[in-house]
Amino acid sequence: MFDSLNTSASALTAQRLRMDVVSSNIANAQTTRGTYVNGKWEPYRRKMVEMEPIKTSSFNQVLQGQLQNQVQSSDQGVKVTGIVDDPTPFNTVYDPSNPDADASGYVQMPNVDLSKEMVDLLSSSRSYDANVTAFNTGKSLYLKALQIGE
């Protein structure tokens, strides 16, 4: 009965996590010491959220559930499958005064592109707003349905 609310709630959770990851990327856009690998510091590597739709039940599963009078949920929505590192190469900047500069004076910087992060943040924010609207609309429809019998 509340499938639309569950669908919107799963999307809200996923988009909030996406906004958290984008915020972390922006916060670490200048971090030259992100991870310590083989005795050497590497810059922060950009993170990305992977999402996939929640699998819906097959027709046969729904039919068998109806024949056995079991309540079936449609299992719709989205789920986060992981947070992965962006494999793009690090940016290199000439700054011999930086303590992390190599012998040639170049410093590896994180592979975070602020314009790309802002686009991702705006996209996740708009998606979050759309899902809030869908959730509120579904909630008001359920409330109106309850008033039919009055």
Side-chain angles (χ1 to χ4, degrees), residues 62-104:
V62 173
L63 179 62
Q64 292 302 320
Q66 292 295 323
L67 292 175
Q68 297 170 1
N69 291 329
Q70 293 176 347
V71 176
Q72 294 282 322
S73 66
S74 60
D75 293 333
Q76 296 177 351
V78 66
K79 69 177 179 180
V80 174
T81 57
I83 298 173
V84 297
D85 290 338
D86 185 353
T88 58
F90 296 119
N91 302 321
T92 304
V93 175
Y94 181 72
D95 185 8
S97 64
N98 191 314
D100 294 324
D102 61 8
S104 304

Side-chain angles (χ1 to χ4, degrees), residues 1-6 71-73 138 142 145-146:
M1 177 173 169
F2 298 107
D3 289 342
S4 67
L5 299 181
N6 289 334
V71 176
Q72 294 282 322
S73 66
Y142 290 130
L146 289 174

